[in-house]
Amino acid sequence: MTGTGLLELKEVSSSYYSGETLLPVLDNVSLKVGEGEFVSLLGPSGSGKSTVLKIAAGLLEPDRGRVIYRGRDVTGEPRRVGYMPQQDMLFPWKTLAQNAALPLLCAGSGKRDAAARVEEMLPLFGLEGFGDYYPYQLSGGMRQRSALMRTMLIESNLWLLDEPFAALDALTRENLQGWLLRIWERFKGAVLFVTHSIDEAIYLSDRVYMISNRPGRIILEEVINLPRPRPRQVITTAQFAGYKETLLRTLAGEGY
Amino acid sequence: MKKWASIKNNLPAILFLSIIAGAWEAAVRLLALPAHILPSPTAIVMALIESFPLLAMHTRVTFTAVLGGLALSILLSLLLALAMDRWKPLKQALYPILVISQAVPIFALAPLILIWFGAGLLPKVLIVTLVCFFPLTVNLIEGFSQVDPEAVDLMKTMQAGQLMILRSVQIPSTLPYFFSGLKIAATYSVLGAIIGEWLAARAGLGIFMLRSMHSFRTSQLFASIIVVVILSLILFKLVELTGKLAMPWHKNTQENFKG
Ligand SMILES: Nc1ncnc2c1ncn2[C@@H]1O[C@H](COP(=O)(O)OP(=O)(O)OP(=O)(O)O)[C@@H](O)[C@H]1O
Ligand SMILES: [Mg+2]
């Protein structure tokens, strides 16, 4: 399943200073995302998942290790990439449509073109008629979809999504997972998806990396060979249960 | 509905003011106080009506200085706050000086400015600027320093240029700080202009006050106080209104943005 390498993190270690003390966060993390591949990064809270995404996006320079994008060393270099931070970061001073148009404007589109493009995308994200709403007027699920829409309008074939569904109730979440898969199949980009839900990781991904407690190390790499397109029912199959058991066992080995 | 509610909310204040005015009127009449010591409210209203054309002319002069000073201080504080946000050493060098400068009484600085710039519009504009500059700059610096670095990061992943980041993130997220600074500045600004006029000017509310005082027309002095209060209130409301128009998202965001 692994396509040609698009993004690669090579032996990345990272730490933060909190006051005087050094807090090691990532320990020798290596991972790969192939062209068009859906990869999940699964791990407990505080294990450094968001830090991995920031390093992958070039927003944070690791202490050691390298980030390779399309064969080029881009460590610590911010570049155009579909990054969706953990807080949805919809700007409260912009309407949904203005938020979504931002990547287009940054890429040099005219205001009118950008607005037209956003308008035609709204239905796909189930946001038709809400373009003029401010973020505070949207529901949690709508905010997530708005943020995803903005992310996907960033001209890039790699999306880094940081727990996009974490703050949602189970029903909305399942709904959006299926919807995300359909969108992904349509846009055909590669995804690095952060989550701490085992089911979500298996259901969505071609491959799952599991990261340990802080300092985060990769403790498991599991290829998920479930058929695509994936109907929701796949989660009741024996194959799905098998993957789930593997992941749970790895977690248990870590003391969960 | 909303209008009625606001009237209802202000009712106690209106009532209280009426009682004071009534008591004042009664006291002046009963004690037969001379008008140059304490004029009665009716005398003050009469003075306000009689000298209305004159007051209007002087108000226009003062208002021009106020607007000029506000505009200049907005421009200067914006440039300075931006520069201090961009270059931290500049902030470290200038911020303490800025704070110390506020300990210098405006009454001491104003004569200097008049010595240097004469008695026209310019020195008054400069004094207003001096008064308004500080609250604006301090608020702007605070605002710029509160810009969410994650928002700037996000803009970087869209390959946004400096100008785009300034326009889409830094300025809008600083607007609430700017407007609360501007509210303070607006209230000080009239005071600044009048101080300038007291020291040297040919026209303006400050001059009108001086003349009323020298000729013992105390009712006129009170009338001009009323005009100053109204002028300050109008400015304050104007800033508030502009703020609401410029930040349609602001009223409800505070609760929602956290959650
Ligand atoms: N800017 C920062 N400064 C200091 N410490 C930080 C910073 N960002 C993260 N950390 C610390 O690094 C560790 C990992 O943080 P990170 O956000 O990467 O975890 P995470 O796996 O995304 O957690 P969660 O699932 O809760 O989002 C945490 O202990 C956190 O306190
Ligand atoms: Mg995180």
Side-chain angles (χ1 to χ4, degrees):
Chain A
M1 276 298 280
T2 312
T4 50
L6 178 67
L7 174 81
E8 194 173 350
L9 266 66
K10 280 188 166 161
E11 291 163 9
V12 164
S13 296
S14 183
S15 53
Y16 291 107
Y17 268 105
S18 59
E20 291 289 283
T21 50
L22 191 71
L23 183 77
V25 173
L26 295 178
D27 180 18
N28 244 344
V29 167
S30 298
L31 57 80
K32 260 189 190 169
V33 181
E35 205 95 46
E37 195 183 19
F38 201 121
V39 176
S40 282
L41 182 59
L42 176 68
S45 184
S47 53
K49 303 181 297 296
S50 297
T51 307
V52 169
L53 281 205
K54 278 181 198 150
I55 289 171
L59 296 170
L60 191 69
E61 187 144 12
D63 299 345
R64 268 179 291 114
R66 290 185 300 148
V67 180
I68 313 289
Y69 180 66
R70 298 196 140 152
R72 207 164 68 79
D73 188 334
V74 293
T75 318
E77 259 177 51
R79 60 187 192 286
R80 183 172 302 155
V81 62
Y83 171 58
M84 178 172 164
Q86 193 162 359
Q87 300 78 23
D88 61 35
M89 275 297 145
L90 291 172
F91 298 150
W93 45 85
K94 287 183 181 290
T95 62
L96 195 176
Q98 289 168 341
N99 267 294
L102 212 48
L104 300 171
L105 296 178
C106 289
S109 289
K111 257 201 158 104
R112 299 257 298 278
D113 292 345
R117 177 89 196 282
V118 167
E119 193 60 39
E120 101 195 10
M121 294 275 282
L122 284 172
L124 181 63
F125 288 78
L127 294 166
E128 201 169 7
F130 289 99
D132 292 333
Y133 280 50
Y134 282 100
Y136 76 85
Q137 297 168 312
L138 301 172
S139 74
M142 292 165 86
R143 290 181 67 128
Q144 300 287 4
R145 285 188 307 236
S146 310
L148 270 170
M149 176 169 167
R150 179 189 58 197
T151 309
M152 287 171 190
L153 284 169
I154 299 174
E155 198 62 49
S156 163
N157 50 1
L158 175 64
W159 304 326
L160 308 169
L161 309 180
D162 198 346
E163 302 198 36
F165 307 141
L168 302 175
D169 63 277
L171 267 178
T172 314
R173 189 170 177 149
E174 283 175 15
N175 195 357
L176 285 184
Q177 287 165 358
W179 169 85
L180 176 65
L181 280 187
R182 288 194 298 279
I183 299 263
W184 168 68
E185 274 151 17
R186 182 179 160 145
F187 281 72
K188 275 294 158 218
V191 177
L192 181 54
F193 186 96
V194 165
T195 178
H196 42 223
S197 156
I198 292 182
D199 287 5
E200 185 169 84
I202 302 173
Y203 174 59
L204 294 174
S205 315
D206 297 314
R207 213 142 43 83
V208 176
Y209 287 101
M210 192 178 265
I211 188 168
S212 72
N213 250 327
R214 198 187 65 230
R217 290 167 291 110
I218 300 293
I219 49 176
L220 179 73
E221 177 184 351
E222 184 77 7
V223 176
I224 310 291
N225 269 320
L226 296 170
R228 296 233 189 237
R230 253 174 228 181
R232 188 80 213 162
Q233 295 85 295
V234 83
I235 65 170
T236 59
T237 60
Q239 208 183 351
F240 191 96
Y243 288 128
K244 192 165 174 176
E245 214 207 310
T246 312
L247 297 189
L248 280 171
R249 201 167 344 104
T250 311
L251 266 185
E254 283 290 303
Y256 282 94
Chain B
M1 289 302 269
K2 220 170 156 187
K3 199 153 206 164
W4 170 238
S6 94
I7 291 174
K8 218 163 94 180
N9 283 341
N10 289 325
L11 213 57
I14 293 169
L15 214 69
F16 186 64
L17 270 180
S18 317
I19 291 171
I20 290 196
W24 180 348
E25 184 83 36
V28 170
R29 291 195 181 199
L30 288 175
L31 303 174
L33 289 176
H36 69 271
I37 303 288
L38 186 67
S40 70
T42 41
I44 293 170
V45 173
M46 287 306 290
L48 195 58
I49 294 168
E50 268 167 27
S51 36
F52 187 78
L54 202 60
L55 266 172
M57 186 275 283
H58 287 295
T59 304
R60 202 156 38 240
V61 173
T62 304
F63 200 54
T64 311
V66 165
L67 286 188
L70 272 176
L72 188 61
S73 54
I74 289 173
L75 189 73
L76 287 179
S77 60
L78 203 62
L79 289 178
L80 188 68
L82 262 178
M84 282 165 79
D85 184 63
R86 178 83 20 115
W87 297 291
K88 297 298 168 216
L90 192 68
K91 184 171 172 179
Q92 285 162 350
L94 286 188
Y95 199 87
I97 298 177
L98 210 61
V99 174
I100 291 169
S101 78
Q102 284 310 290
V104 180
I106 190 74
F107 277 96
L109 279 181
L112 269 180
I113 289 177
L114 293 169
I115 289 170
W116 293 334
F117 297 100
L121 178 66
L122 181 65
K124 280 199 280 179
V125 167
L126 290 180
I127 292 171
V128 174
T129 306
L130 219 54
V131 174
C132 298
F133 179 70
F134 184 72
L136 273 172
T137 310
V138 168
N139 271 279
L140 279 172
I141 289 171
E142 175 71 12
F144 281 128
S145 75
Q146 293 296 321
V147 171
D148 190 343
E150 299 251 352
V152 177
D153 274 357
L154 180 66
M155 293 298 288
K156 282 185 193 158
T157 66
M158 302 181 196
Q159 295 273 283
Q162 287 291 341
L163 203 65
M164 192 74 181
I165 295 178
L166 185 69
R167 254 186 26 204
S168 306
V169 176
Q170 288 173 296
I171 288 181
S173 91
T174 303
L175 274 185
Y177 294 86
F178 170 70
F179 276 103
S180 59
L182 191 55
K183 270 186 202 168
I184 301 171
T187 8
Y188 286 175
S189 62
V190 182
L191 192 79
I194 287 174
I195 290 175
E197 286 163 357
W198 277 348
L199 290 168
R202 283 172 225 104
L205 282 171
I207 290 299
F208 183 86
M209 285 176 165
L210 280 184
R211 286 184 190 152
S212 306
M213 193 175 81
H214 290 319
S215 53
F216 294 100
R217 276 185 291 230
T218 315
S219 57
Q220 274 191 12
L221 194 58
F222 273 97
S224 58
I225 291 176
I226 290 177
V227 171
V228 168
V229 169
I230 291 175
L231 196 61
S232 299
L233 279 182
I234 288 176
L235 269 174
F236 188 84
K237 282 287 165 193
L238 220 60
V239 171
E240 215 173 47
L241 191 73
T242 318
K244 275 190 183 146
L245 288 178
M247 308 180 289
W249 73 86
H250 191 53
K251 33 187 188 302
N252 294 311
T253 36
Q254 300 305 35
E255 305 92 53
N256 282 276
F257 201 40
K258 281 181 209 141

Short mmCIF file of all heavy atoms in Angstrom, two decimals, chain A residues 179-223:
data_model
loop_
_atom_site.label_atom_id
_atom_site.label_comp_id
_atom_site.label_asym_id
_atom_site.label_seq_id
_atom_site.Cartn_x
_atom_site.Cartn_y
_atom_site.Cartn_z
N TRP A 179 -17.69 10.97 6.07
CA TRP A 179 -17.67 12.11 5.17
C TRP A 179 -16.23 12.48 4.78
O TRP A 179 -15.93 12.74 3.62
CB TRP A 179 -18.39 13.25 5.88
CG TRP A 179 -18.25 14.57 5.23
CD1 TRP A 179 -19.01 15.06 4.21
CD2 TRP A 179 -17.29 15.56 5.53
NE1 TRP A 179 -18.59 16.30 3.86
CE2 TRP A 179 -17.53 16.64 4.65
CE3 TRP A 179 -16.25 15.66 6.46
CZ2 TRP A 179 -16.76 17.78 4.68
CZ3 TRP A 179 -15.49 16.79 6.49
CH2 TRP A 179 -15.75 17.85 5.60
N LEU A 180 -15.31 12.43 5.77
CA LEU A 180 -13.91 12.77 5.50
C LEU A 180 -13.31 11.79 4.49
O LEU A 180 -12.58 12.18 3.58
CB LEU A 180 -13.09 12.74 6.80
CG LEU A 180 -11.59 12.98 6.63
CD1 LEU A 180 -11.32 14.39 6.10
CD2 LEU A 180 -10.83 12.77 7.94
N LEU A 181 -13.66 10.51 4.64
CA LEU A 181 -13.15 9.51 3.70
C LEU A 181 -13.62 9.83 2.27
O LEU A 181 -12.85 9.73 1.32
CB LEU A 181 -13.60 8.10 4.10
CG LEU A 181 -12.80 7.45 5.22
CD1 LEU A 181 -13.22 6.00 5.40
CD2 LEU A 181 -11.29 7.53 4.94
N ARG A 182 -14.89 10.19 2.14
CA ARG A 182 -15.40 10.52 0.80
C ARG A 182 -14.68 11.73 0.23
O ARG A 182 -14.29 11.75 -0.94
CB ARG A 182 -16.91 10.77 0.86
CG ARG A 182 -17.71 9.49 1.08
CD ARG A 182 -19.18 9.69 0.80
NE ARG A 182 -19.82 10.67 1.68
CZ ARG A 182 -20.23 10.38 2.93
NH1 ARG A 182 -20.07 9.17 3.44
NH2 ARG A 182 -20.80 11.31 3.65
N ILE A 183 -14.47 12.75 1.07
CA ILE A 183 -13.75 13.95 0.62
C ILE A 183 -12.33 13.59 0.21
O ILE A 183 -11.82 14.02 -0.84
CB ILE A 183 -13.67 14.98 1.77
CG1 ILE A 183 -15.06 15.41 2.19
CG2 ILE A 183 -12.80 16.16 1.38
CD1 ILE A 183 -15.55 16.67 1.58
N TRP A 184 -11.70 12.76 1.02
CA TRP A 184 -10.31 12.39 0.76
C TRP A 184 -10.20 11.61 -0.56
O TRP A 184 -9.31 11.85 -1.36
CB TRP A 184 -9.79 11.54 1.92
CG TRP A 184 -8.49 10.87 1.67
CD1 TRP A 184 -7.27 11.48 1.53
CD2 TRP A 184 -8.26 9.47 1.51
NE1 TRP A 184 -6.30 10.55 1.30
CE2 TRP A 184 -6.88 9.29 1.29
CE3 TRP A 184 -9.08 8.34 1.56
CZ2 TRP A 184 -6.31 8.04 1.10
CZ3 TRP A 184 -8.52 7.09 1.37
CH2 TRP A 184 -7.15 6.95 1.14
N GLU A 185 -11.15 10.70 -0.76
CA GLU A 185 -11.13 9.93 -2.01
C GLU A 185 -11.29 10.85 -3.21
O GLU A 185 -10.76 10.60 -4.29
CB GLU A 185 -12.24 8.87 -2.00
CG GLU A 185 -11.79 7.59 -1.31
CD GLU A 185 -12.93 6.82 -0.65
OE1 GLU A 185 -14.10 7.07 -0.97
OE2 GLU A 185 -12.63 5.95 0.20
N ARG A 186 -12.00 11.93 -3.01
CA ARG A 186 -12.24 12.87 -4.09
C ARG A 186 -11.02 13.76 -4.34
O ARG A 186 -10.63 14.01 -5.47
CB ARG A 186 -13.44 13.72 -3.72
CG ARG A 186 -13.81 14.70 -4.78
CD ARG A 186 -15.01 15.48 -4.35
NE ARG A 186 -15.04 16.69 -5.15
CZ ARG A 186 -16.16 17.25 -5.56
NH1 ARG A 186 -17.31 16.72 -5.25
NH2 ARG A 186 -16.10 18.34 -6.27
N PHE A 187 -10.38 14.24 -3.24
CA PHE A 187 -9.26 15.17 -3.40
C PHE A 187 -7.94 14.47 -3.65
O PHE A 187 -7.00 15.05 -4.14
CB PHE A 187 -9.12 16.08 -2.17
CG PHE A 187 -10.10 17.20 -2.14
CD1 PHE A 187 -11.44 16.96 -1.87
CD2 PHE A 187 -9.70 18.50 -2.36
CE1 PHE A 187 -12.36 18.00 -1.84
CE2 PHE A 187 -10.59 19.54 -2.34
CZ PHE A 187 -11.94 19.29 -2.08
N LYS A 188 -7.84 13.22 -3.20
CA LYS A 188 -6.67 12.38 -3.46
C LYS A 188 -5.36 12.97 -2.93
O LYS A 188 -4.33 12.88 -3.58
CB LYS A 188 -6.55 12.08 -4.96
CG LYS A 188 -7.40 10.88 -5.37
CD LYS A 188 -6.87 9.63 -4.73
CE LYS A 188 -7.90 8.52 -4.64
NZ LYS A 188 -7.81 7.75 -3.39
N GLY A 189 -5.41 13.59 -1.77
CA GLY A 189 -4.18 14.03 -1.15
C GLY A 189 -3.71 12.99 -0.15
O GLY A 189 -4.45 12.04 0.16
N ALA A 190 -2.50 13.17 0.36
CA ALA A 190 -2.04 12.32 1.44
C ALA A 190 -2.44 12.97 2.76
O ALA A 190 -2.51 14.19 2.86
CB ALA A 190 -0.53 12.16 1.38
N VAL A 191 -2.73 12.13 3.77
CA VAL A 191 -3.17 12.67 5.06
C VAL A 191 -2.31 12.11 6.18
O VAL A 191 -2.05 10.90 6.23
CB VAL A 191 -4.64 12.31 5.33
CG1 VAL A 191 -5.07 12.82 6.70
CG2 VAL A 191 -5.56 12.86 4.25
N LEU A 192 -1.87 12.98 7.07
CA LEU A 192 -1.32 12.53 8.35
C LEU A 192 -2.29 13.01 9.41
O LEU A 192 -2.49 14.21 9.60
CB LEU A 192 0.08 13.12 8.58
CG LEU A 192 0.76 12.70 9.88
CD1 LEU A 192 0.83 11.19 10.03
CD2 LEU A 192 2.17 13.29 9.95
N PHE A 193 -2.95 12.04 10.05
CA PHE A 193 -4.13 12.30 10.87
C PHE A 193 -3.83 11.96 12.32
O PHE A 193 -3.50 10.82 12.64
CB PHE A 193 -5.27 11.44 10.33
CG PHE A 193 -6.61 11.68 10.96
CD1 PHE A 193 -7.53 12.53 10.37
CD2 PHE A 193 -6.99 11.01 12.12
CE1 PHE A 193 -8.79 12.73 10.92
CE2 PHE A 193 -8.24 11.21 12.68
CZ PHE A 193 -9.14 12.07 12.08
N VAL A 194 -3.94 12.94 13.20
CA VAL A 194 -3.66 12.69 14.62
C VAL A 194 -4.96 12.38 15.35
O VAL A 194 -5.97 13.04 15.15
CB VAL A 194 -2.99 13.92 15.26
CG1 VAL A 194 -3.03 13.82 16.77
CG2 VAL A 194 -1.57 14.07 14.77
N THR A 195 -4.91 11.35 16.17
CA THR A 195 -6.10 11.00 16.93
C THR A 195 -5.69 10.25 18.18
O THR A 195 -4.59 9.73 18.27
CB THR A 195 -7.06 10.13 16.09
OG1 THR A 195 -8.18 9.77 16.89
CG2 THR A 195 -6.38 8.88 15.59
N HIS A 196 -6.58 10.21 19.21
CA HIS A 196 -6.33 9.21 20.23
C HIS A 196 -7.47 8.21 20.33
O HIS A 196 -7.69 7.60 21.36
CB HIS A 196 -5.89 9.76 21.59
CG HIS A 196 -6.60 10.96 22.07
ND1 HIS A 196 -5.96 12.01 22.64
CD2 HIS A 196 -7.89 11.28 22.06
CE1 HIS A 196 -6.83 12.94 22.97
NE2 HIS A 196 -8.01 12.52 22.63
N SER A 197 -8.18 8.04 19.23
CA SER A 197 -9.21 7.01 19.17
C SER A 197 -8.73 5.86 18.28
O SER A 197 -8.41 6.04 17.11
CB SER A 197 -10.50 7.59 18.61
OG SER A 197 -11.29 6.58 18.04
N ILE A 198 -8.67 4.65 18.88
CA ILE A 198 -8.21 3.48 18.14
C ILE A 198 -9.14 3.18 16.97
O ILE A 198 -8.70 2.96 15.83
CB ILE A 198 -8.11 2.26 19.08
CG1 ILE A 198 -6.98 2.49 20.09
CG2 ILE A 198 -7.89 0.98 18.30
CD1 ILE A 198 -6.76 1.33 21.03
N ASP A 199 -10.45 3.19 17.22
CA ASP A 199 -11.42 2.89 16.16
C ASP A 199 -11.29 3.86 14.99
O ASP A 199 -11.31 3.47 13.83
CB ASP A 199 -12.85 2.96 16.72
CG ASP A 199 -13.16 1.76 17.61
OD1 ASP A 199 -12.23 0.97 17.84
OD2 ASP A 199 -14.31 1.63 18.06
N GLU A 200 -11.17 5.12 15.34
CA GLU A 200 -11.06 6.13 14.30
C GLU A 200 -9.82 5.89 13.44
O GLU A 200 -9.87 5.95 12.21
CB GLU A 200 -10.99 7.51 14.95
CG GLU A 200 -11.00 8.67 13.99
CD GLU A 200 -11.21 9.99 14.72
OE1 GLU A 200 -10.23 10.58 15.23
OE2 GLU A 200 -12.37 10.44 14.78
N ALA A 201 -8.71 5.60 14.10
CA ALA A 201 -7.46 5.37 13.38
C ALA A 201 -7.60 4.20 12.41
O ALA A 201 -7.21 4.29 11.24
CB ALA A 201 -6.31 5.12 14.36
N ILE A 202 -8.15 3.09 12.89
CA ILE A 202 -8.27 1.90 12.02
C ILE A 202 -9.24 2.17 10.87
O ILE A 202 -8.96 1.87 9.72
CB ILE A 202 -8.74 0.67 12.82
CG1 ILE A 202 -7.76 0.38 13.98
CG2 ILE A 202 -8.84 -0.56 11.92
CD1 ILE A 202 -8.24 -0.71 14.91
N TYR A 203 -10.38 2.73 11.23
CA TYR A 203 -11.42 2.93 10.22
C TYR A 203 -10.93 3.81 9.06
O TYR A 203 -11.25 3.58 7.91
CB TYR A 203 -12.67 3.54 10.86
CG TYR A 203 -13.73 3.90 9.86
CD1 TYR A 203 -14.27 2.93 9.02
CD2 TYR A 203 -14.18 5.22 9.73
CE1 TYR A 203 -15.23 3.27 8.07
CE2 TYR A 203 -15.14 5.55 8.79
CZ TYR A 203 -15.67 4.57 7.96
OH TYR A 203 -16.61 4.92 7.04
N LEU A 204 -10.15 4.84 9.40
CA LEU A 204 -9.78 5.81 8.38
C LEU A 204 -8.55 5.42 7.58
O LEU A 204 -8.44 5.76 6.40
CB LEU A 204 -9.53 7.18 9.03
CG LEU A 204 -10.73 7.89 9.67
CD1 LEU A 204 -10.27 9.16 10.38
CD2 LEU A 204 -11.78 8.23 8.61
N SER A 205 -7.61 4.68 8.19
CA SER A 205 -6.24 4.72 7.68
C SER A 205 -5.83 3.57 6.78
O SER A 205 -6.41 2.50 6.79
CB SER A 205 -5.27 4.75 8.86
OG SER A 205 -5.68 5.67 9.81
N ASP A 206 -4.78 3.85 6.01
CA ASP A 206 -4.03 2.80 5.33
C ASP A 206 -2.94 2.26 6.25
O ASP A 206 -2.51 1.13 6.12
CB ASP A 206 -3.34 3.36 4.08
CG ASP A 206 -4.36 3.86 3.06
OD1 ASP A 206 -5.33 3.14 2.81
OD2 ASP A 206 -4.19 5.00 2.56
N ARG A 207 -2.50 3.14 7.13
CA ARG A 207 -1.42 2.76 8.04
C ARG A 207 -1.56 3.52 9.34
O ARG A 207 -2.00 4.68 9.33
CB ARG A 207 -0.06 3.08 7.41
CG ARG A 207 1.07 2.14 7.74
CD ARG A 207 1.99 1.90 6.53
NE ARG A 207 2.24 3.13 5.83
CZ ARG A 207 3.17 4.01 6.20
NH1 ARG A 207 3.93 3.77 7.25
NH2 ARG A 207 3.35 5.11 5.51
N VAL A 208 -1.23 2.87 10.44
CA VAL A 208 -1.35 3.52 11.74
C VAL A 208 0.00 3.46 12.45
O VAL A 208 0.63 2.39 12.51
CB VAL A 208 -2.40 2.82 12.63
CG1 VAL A 208 -2.44 3.45 14.02
CG2 VAL A 208 -3.78 2.89 11.99
N TYR A 209 0.46 4.59 12.92
CA TYR A 209 1.62 4.62 13.82
C TYR A 209 1.11 4.83 15.23
O TYR A 209 0.24 5.67 15.45
CB TYR A 209 2.55 5.78 13.47
CG TYR A 209 3.35 5.59 12.22
CD1 TYR A 209 2.97 6.22 11.04
CD2 TYR A 209 4.50 4.81 12.22
CE1 TYR A 209 3.71 6.07 9.88
CE2 TYR A 209 5.26 4.64 11.07
CZ TYR A 209 4.85 5.28 9.90
OH TYR A 209 5.58 5.12 8.77
N MET A 210 1.67 4.08 16.15
CA MET A 210 1.31 4.32 17.53
C MET A 210 2.51 4.91 18.25
O MET A 210 3.64 4.47 18.10
CB MET A 210 0.88 3.02 18.19
CG MET A 210 0.22 3.26 19.53
SD MET A 210 -0.31 1.73 20.25
CE MET A 210 -1.99 1.67 19.74
N ILE A 211 2.23 5.95 19.02
CA ILE A 211 3.30 6.67 19.71
C ILE A 211 3.15 6.45 21.21
O ILE A 211 2.03 6.35 21.72
CB ILE A 211 3.27 8.18 19.31
CG1 ILE A 211 4.48 8.93 19.84
CG2 ILE A 211 2.01 8.84 19.78
CD1 ILE A 211 4.59 10.32 19.21
N SER A 212 4.29 6.34 21.90
CA SER A 212 4.25 6.01 23.32
C SER A 212 4.00 7.25 24.15
O SER A 212 3.97 8.36 23.63
CB SER A 212 5.59 5.41 23.74
OG SER A 212 6.56 6.45 23.77
N ASN A 213 3.87 7.04 25.45
CA ASN A 213 3.83 8.15 26.38
C ASN A 213 5.09 9.01 26.25
O ASN A 213 6.10 8.56 25.76
CB ASN A 213 3.77 7.61 27.81
CG ASN A 213 2.42 7.88 28.41
OD1 ASN A 213 1.80 8.91 28.10
ND2 ASN A 213 1.95 6.98 29.24
N ARG A 214 5.00 10.23 26.73
CA ARG A 214 6.14 11.14 26.63
C ARG A 214 7.35 10.59 27.35
O ARG A 214 7.22 10.08 28.46
CB ARG A 214 5.73 12.50 27.21
CG ARG A 214 6.63 13.63 26.80
CD ARG A 214 6.32 14.89 27.52
NE ARG A 214 6.59 14.73 28.94
CZ ARG A 214 5.72 15.05 29.88
NH1 ARG A 214 4.55 15.52 29.59
NH2 ARG A 214 6.04 14.87 31.15
N PRO A 215 8.55 10.69 26.80
CA PRO A 215 8.82 11.22 25.45
C PRO A 215 8.40 10.23 24.37
O PRO A 215 8.70 9.04 24.46
CB PRO A 215 10.34 11.39 25.45
CG PRO A 215 10.85 10.47 26.49
CD PRO A 215 9.77 10.31 27.51
N GLY A 216 7.68 10.73 23.38
CA GLY A 216 7.06 9.87 22.38
C GLY A 216 8.06 9.12 21.50
O GLY A 216 8.98 9.70 20.93
N ARG A 217 7.87 7.79 21.46
CA ARG A 217 8.60 6.95 20.51
C ARG A 217 7.55 6.22 19.67
O ARG A 217 6.44 5.98 20.14
CB ARG A 217 9.44 5.89 21.24
CG ARG A 217 10.63 6.40 22.01
CD ARG A 217 11.18 5.32 22.94
NE ARG A 217 10.25 5.04 24.03
CZ ARG A 217 9.55 3.92 24.16
NH1 ARG A 217 9.67 2.94 23.27
NH2 ARG A 217 8.71 3.75 25.18
N ILE A 218 7.90 5.84 18.44
CA ILE A 218 6.97 5.03 17.66
C ILE A 218 7.07 3.60 18.18
O ILE A 218 8.14 2.99 18.14
CB ILE A 218 7.32 5.08 16.17
CG1 ILE A 218 7.25 6.52 15.64
CG2 ILE A 218 6.40 4.17 15.37
CD1 ILE A 218 5.88 7.13 15.63
N ILE A 219 5.96 3.07 18.70
CA ILE A 219 6.01 1.72 19.28
C ILE A 219 5.32 0.70 18.38
O ILE A 219 5.39 -0.50 18.64
CB ILE A 219 5.39 1.68 20.69
CG1 ILE A 219 4.02 2.37 20.69
CG2 ILE A 219 6.31 2.31 21.70
CD1 ILE A 219 3.31 2.27 22.02
N LEU A 220 4.65 1.18 17.34
CA LEU A 220 3.99 0.22 16.45
C LEU A 220 3.70 0.88 15.11
O LEU A 220 3.33 2.06 15.05
CB LEU A 220 2.65 -0.24 17.07
CG LEU A 220 1.83 -1.23 16.23
CD1 LEU A 220 2.47 -2.61 16.25
CD2 LEU A 220 0.39 -1.30 16.73
N GLU A 221 3.93 0.11 14.05
CA GLU A 221 3.50 0.56 12.73
C GLU A 221 2.64 -0.55 12.16
O GLU A 221 3.10 -1.68 12.01
CB GLU A 221 4.70 0.83 11.82
CG GLU A 221 4.28 1.22 10.43
CD GLU A 221 5.47 1.41 9.48
OE1 GLU A 221 6.62 1.39 9.97
OE2 GLU A 221 5.23 1.54 8.28
N GLU A 222 1.38 -0.27 11.90
CA GLU A 222 0.46 -1.32 11.47
C GLU A 222 -0.20 -0.93 10.14
O GLU A 222 -0.81 0.14 10.04
CB GLU A 222 -0.62 -1.51 12.56
CG GLU A 222 -1.59 -2.62 12.31
CD GLU A 222 -1.01 -4.01 12.59
OE1 GLU A 222 0.12 -4.10 13.12
OE2 GLU A 222 -1.69 -5.01 12.27
N VAL A 223 -0.06 -1.80 9.13
CA VAL A 223 -0.73 -1.55 7.85
C VAL A 223 -2.15 -2.06 7.94
O VAL A 223 -2.38 -3.18 8.39
CB VAL A 223 0.04 -2.24 6.71
CG1 VAL A 223 -0.72 -2.07 5.40
CG2 VAL A 223 1.44 -1.69 6.61
#
